Amino acid sequence: AQTVTQSQPEMSVQEAETVTLSCTYDTSENNYYLFWYKQPPSRQMILVIRQEAYKQQNATENRFSVNFQKAAKSFSLKISDSQLGDTAMYFCAFMKQSNTGKLIFGQGTTLQVKP
Amino acid sequence: SAVISQKPSRDICQRGTSLTIQCQVDSQVTMMFWYRQQPGQSLTLIATANQGSEATYESGFVIDKFPISRPNLTFSTLTVSNMSPEDSSIYLCSVVSSIYGYTFGSGTRLTVV
């Protein structure tokens, strides 16, 4: 069975600074997808970034980038130039390529961006 | 991405009653999913709802407690039956499509008193 672990329950960062959220996972699959989702107080789950396991290049989306280490089964999220609107719960998630749609989530990390 | 309308956004219910949550998608999708997020916790998949077949439930979730309907490719309902305070959670529907990827509804915050 797959598991996803986020070891940082809470983090804080000063506005405009950079922060990295950690995620590790366990799987015997070779082909899969990894995601970072943001959940602000509105409860809406918002996709931040997505990584295909077969791609060696790390995904980037504007201020968000990942450090994907397949051998180490690590998938960290870096937020650059943090903004107050980045304050939210962040979830790392795993999905088998052969089982499209079923996401396995980590425990979440609450990020507070301070002015 | 696909747009999902989820209703109600919140409700307060008496124990022993049932609540039906609706999800309407603005495009046809094959697979719809229902997740539960208990207070301060992560999301856990309840079941996968495919049109034209019975829902597939994850371990720990049963049809009698969480009956699901999927009458067409754009709509699904989840019923939380015979509720107890332990059912107080956020319930979210989601869809995945080859075109739009993975999208979540805005969630239903359920409080059972």
Side-chain angles (χ1 to χ4, degrees):
Chain A
Q2 289 76 33
T3 59
V4 179
T5 302
Q6 294 177 250
S7 58
Q8 304 154 314
E10 297 180 354
M11 294 192 72
S12 64
V13 62
Q14 291 295 131
E15 195 175 7
E17 296 294 309
T18 296
V19 64
T20 298
L21 308 183
S22 301
C23 173
T24 59
Y25 59 94
D26 188 25
T27 184
S28 58
E29 300 284 324
N30 191 48
N31 297 315
Y32 49 88
Y33 301 99
L34 294 165
F35 306 85
W36 278 98
Y37 281 91
K38 168 185 176 181
Q39 187 181 41
S42 67
R43 303 193 304 269
Q44 181 70 54
M45 291 289 285
I46 302 167
L47 178 64
V48 175
I49 202 164
R50 159 184 165 149
Q51 175 82 42
E52 291 87 347
Y54 65 85
K55 290 186 177 179
Q56 292 186 341
Q57 186 173 7
N58 289 325
T60 63
E61 286 288 342
N62 300 313
R63 298 183 294 108
F64 300 88
S65 62
V66 299
N67 182 5
F68 174 48
Q69 301 289 328
K70 190 173 183 180
K73 297 179 181 175
S74 171
F75 183 61
S76 60
L77 174 70
K78 185 172 80 172
I79 306 174
S80 304
D81 186 24
S82 297
Q83 301 176 359
L84 296 178
D86 296 332
T87 293
M89 188 86 151
Y90 286 81
F91 292 98
C92 178
F94 170 99
M95 184 172 74
K96 289 195 291 187
Q97 188 177 43
S98 60
N99 194 8
T100 304
K102 187 183 293 188
L103 286 170
I104 299 171
F105 287 89
Q107 304 92 323
T109 297
T110 300
L111 176 66
Q112 177 76 41
V113 180
K114 299 179 178 179
Chain B
S1 61
V3 177
I4 302 176
S5 173
Q6 185 173 341
K7 296 178 182 179
S9 61
R10 59 177 64 228
D11 208 340
I12 301 173
C13 300
Q14 296 291 323
R15 66 177 67 200
T17 63
S18 299
L19 175 71
T20 296
I21 302 167
Q22 300 180 0
C23 265
Q24 179 75 51
V25 189
D26 69 343
S27 58
Q28 293 185 341
V29 292
T30 303
M31 303 176 80
M32 294 184 73
F33 305 87
W34 288 97
Y35 287 85
R36 180 176 74 180
Q37 186 178 21
Q38 294 178 300
Q41 303 294 316
S42 186
L43 284 75
T44 301
L45 181 64
I46 298 172
T48 303
N50 295 319
Q51 193 266 338
S53 63
E54 291 227 349
T56 303
Y57 289 83
E58 297 298 304
S59 176
F61 298 96
V62 296
I63 188 171
D64 289 347
K65 177 66 176 177
F66 297 100
I68 288 170
S69 76
R70 183 79 198 276
N72 56 53
L73 291 175
T74 64
F75 186 78
S76 178
T77 67
L78 168 76
T79 298
V80 186
S81 303
N82 188 24
M83 290 183 284
S84 66
E86 292 71 35
D87 294 320
S88 296
S89 296
I90 297 171
Y91 292 85
L92 299 106
C93 65
S94 65
V95 301
V96 62
S97 73
S98 58
I99 300 174
Y100 299 115
Y102 214 100
T103 307
F104 283 88
S106 54
T108 297
R109 184 183 293 276
L110 171 63
T111 302
V112 183
V113 297

